[in-house]
Amino acid sequence: MAVDFSALDKAVDQEQLRKDVEEAKNNSGDIPKGTYIVGIDKMEIKATKDGRPMFFIQARGKEGEHKNKCIFMNRVIYGTKNDGSMIQSVLTVLDKFQTDIIPEFNGYQDFVELVADIYEEIQGRVECEIDYDKDAFNSISIKEVFDV
């Protein structure tokens, strides 16, 4: 028996969804290990499929062969073998942005707000030179941050 998704089709902006699918097709793909200049499109604490908090960055190439391609970093920060090290690795990334907000961990809900505040401060204002390796523990390592 087939599942009827016609109500969902009516609820979704089909034209926008097709545009989003096309953008994903054109702006994703296998980005090789290397050094890139990127802008930060998204940065947040969100939930994994099983509900654990995870730090997430979506960056986008700004030049060269991989211009407009997306680069991602995910870091689960609860329920790991070493939550303290996972949180500290996120704090190290946040500190690289040199914002007025001092990155520190004072509980998970506070951390959600801290990451959102730091992202708000840097959104559209900085680009980064990064080393990227999708197979590395730190898939994104920020080398330098530039004001734009």
Side-chain angles (χ1 to χ4, degrees):
M1 182 154 137
V3 178
D4 183 4
F5 289 114
S6 59
L8 181 59
D9 282 338
K10 291 176 185 171
V12 172
D13 179 345
Q14 294 295 319
E15 184 62 29
Q16 183 60 52
L17 185 56
R18 281 189 286 280
K19 288 178 184 175
D20 292 345
V21 169
E22 187 64 25
E23 180 183 1
K25 178 177 128 183
N26 293 330
N27 296 329
S28 62
D30 205 14
I31 307 293
K33 178 180 176 178
T35 300
Y36 300 96
I37 302 296
V38 300
I40 305 299
D41 285 353
K42 295 180 186 175
M43 185 171 74
E44 63 187 334
I45 303 292
K46 61 185 193 176
T48 63
K49 290 179 184 177
D50 62 0
R52 296 184 296 157
M54 175 178 69
F55 177 68
F56 170 80
I57 289 180
Q58 176 182 311
R60 188 175 304 267
K62 292 296 196 177
E63 57 188 39
E65 178 184 350
H66 299 289
K67 183 176 182 178
N68 293 323
K69 302 285 187 194
C70 292
I71 295 174
F72 302 96
M73 176 184 176
N74 297 306
R75 176 67 36 81
V76 176
I77 57 173
Y78 174 77
T80 70
K81 291 182 180 179
N82 194 342
D83 293 344
S85 290
M86 299 301 108
I87 292 167
Q88 182 54 51
S89 70
V90 172
L91 290 169
T92 299
V93 169
L94 296 173
D95 194 48
K96 296 273 185 172
F97 292 113
Q98 301 175 354
T99 59
D100 292 335
I101 301 164
I102 297 171
E104 57 188 4
F105 183 81
N106 293 309
Y108 287 99
Q109 187 56 46
D110 181 72
F111 207 48
V112 169
E113 294 167 15
L114 175 96
V115 170
D117 290 345
I118 290 174
Y119 177 62
E120 185 177 319
E121 187 175 327
I122 68 166
Q123 185 180 19
R125 295 182 180 104
V126 302
E127 291 180 354
C128 307
E129 180 181 19
I130 64 164
D131 283 333
Y132 174 71
D133 181 354
K134 70 177 181 170
D135 297 322
F137 174 71
N138 288 320
S139 57
I140 294 175
S141 295
I142 298 172
K143 295 173 67 172
E144 193 169 348
V145 176
F146 311 95
D147 291 329
V148 291

